[in-house]
Amino acid sequence: NAGVMQNPRHLVRRRGQEARLRCSPMKGHSHVYWYRQLPEEGLKFMVYLQKENIIDESGMPKERFSAEFPKEGPSILRIQQVVRGDSAAYFCASSSGQGGIYGYTFGSGTRLTVV
Amino acid sequence: AQTVTQSQPEMSVQEAETVTLSCTYDTSESDYYLFWYKQPPSRQMILVIRQEAYKQQNATENRFSVNFQKAAKSFSLKISDSQLGDAAMYFCAYRKTQGAQKLVFGQGTRLTINP
């Protein structure tokens, strides 16, 4: 029973390129959350999605960042025209319909490096 | 807005000894959930323990227990009989019961276990 799968594990992009991060939630989970972790800091909430719906994007930068969770396939976090400040670890978590009151299951993260 | 503060950036303990990690939080809610997550060098976020605010009894999970002081808004983690495998970053997190289901994380405490 695979957990939350994130890929790629490491991603290197040049400034100005696009980064696409993928997250497949745990089987049976329909809620996906994206978090960003800067070096030596805690995780910061970005966006919460259910299938085909964005529920809460209050932590998402207004420009260049977008997220989706289509009916079929993984959730995608997309960063356009990346800058050095986007370098971070991006984590995806999933939960069941109870919304994570028992805690979320996290993926192993994607470390994005912008050069 | 809710905030979570971990005032100890680093802690160290001798193997087999007991260590306590501090966490305070700020909220106007009366019901919520609190969590401790462990992040080893592999980057995987692992749920250690959770506490429901309406329960007065402190949660315990084997060698891990919490001291939940609701009035003081304090949620410390005690690790007994520390083991080398406990070495990791530890994050305290808060989640509202209703509404937005995001986790709010503290800055983390790096725990070192000395053999």
Side-chain angles (χ1 to χ4, degrees):
Chain A
N1 184 15
V4 178
M5 304 301 293
Q6 286 190 251
N7 64 82
R9 183 122 168 98
H10 301 278
L11 181 62
V12 179
R13 284 289 178 265
R14 296 188 183 278
R15 282 177 291 172
Q17 290 185 319
E18 178 180 287
R20 292 172 71 89
L21 288 62
R22 289 177 291 278
C23 169
S24 295
M26 198 165 171
K27 188 175 181 180
H29 285 186
S30 57
H31 302 239
V32 166
Y33 315 80
W34 285 94
Y35 292 82
R36 177 164 64 176
Q37 183 180 31
L38 295 172
E40 302 303 317
E41 292 189 13
L43 280 70
K44 296 285 194 296
F45 170 78
M46 298 181 75
V47 63
Y48 161 40
L49 310 102
Q50 295 179 21
K51 285 283 187 182
E52 300 184 279
N53 285 304
I54 296 175
I55 308 302
D56 180 359
E57 57 182 347
S58 59
M60 195 85 114
K62 293 287 185 274
E63 297 178 354
R64 301 187 298 107
F65 285 74
S66 62
E68 63 176 6
F69 188 17
K71 188 177 179 181
E72 301 289 340
S75 176
I76 304 289
L77 179 67
R78 182 181 178 204
I79 311 172
Q80 295 178 289
Q81 298 176 317
V82 297
V83 301
R84 289 245 171 91
D86 296 333
S87 295
Y90 292 82
F91 288 89
C92 170
S94 72
S95 72
S96 67
Q98 291 181 313
I101 64 174
Y102 298 105
Y104 303 89
T105 303
F106 279 84
S108 297
T110 293
R111 183 174 296 284
L112 172 65
T113 302
V114 179
V115 297
Chain B
Q2 292 79 22
T3 58
V4 177
T5 301
Q6 294 178 249
S7 59
Q8 305 155 314
E10 296 183 355
M11 291 283 284
S12 63
V13 64
Q14 290 296 125
E15 194 176 1
E17 300 282 299
T18 295
V19 64
T20 298
L21 308 184
S22 300
C23 172
T24 58
Y25 57 94
D26 186 26
T27 183
S28 58
E29 304 287 326
S30 60
D31 199 15
Y32 44 86
Y33 299 97
L34 296 165
F35 305 87
W36 277 98
Y37 278 89
K38 170 185 177 181
Q39 187 181 43
S42 67
R43 250 185 11 227
Q44 181 76 46
M45 293 290 286
I46 302 165
L47 178 64
V48 175
I49 200 164
R50 68 185 281 272
Q51 175 80 42
E52 299 166 47
Y54 68 86
K55 288 187 176 179
Q56 292 185 337
Q57 186 174 7
N58 289 323
T60 62
E61 288 287 341
N62 301 312
R63 297 182 296 107
F64 298 86
S65 61
V66 299
N67 183 5
F68 174 47
Q69 301 289 328
K70 191 172 184 179
K73 295 180 182 174
S74 170
F75 182 60
S76 60
L77 175 70
K78 185 171 84 170
I79 306 174
S80 304
D81 185 25
S82 298
Q83 300 176 0
L84 294 178
D86 295 334
M89 285 290 289
Y90 285 82
F91 293 98
C92 178
Y94 163 99
R95 177 192 176 281
K96 287 168 63 174
T97 303
Q98 302 296 336
Q101 299 176 352
K102 61 189 177 187
L103 288 171
V104 178
F105 284 89
Q107 308 92 315
T109 297
R110 183 178 302 281
L111 178 63
T112 301
I113 311 295
N114 300 313

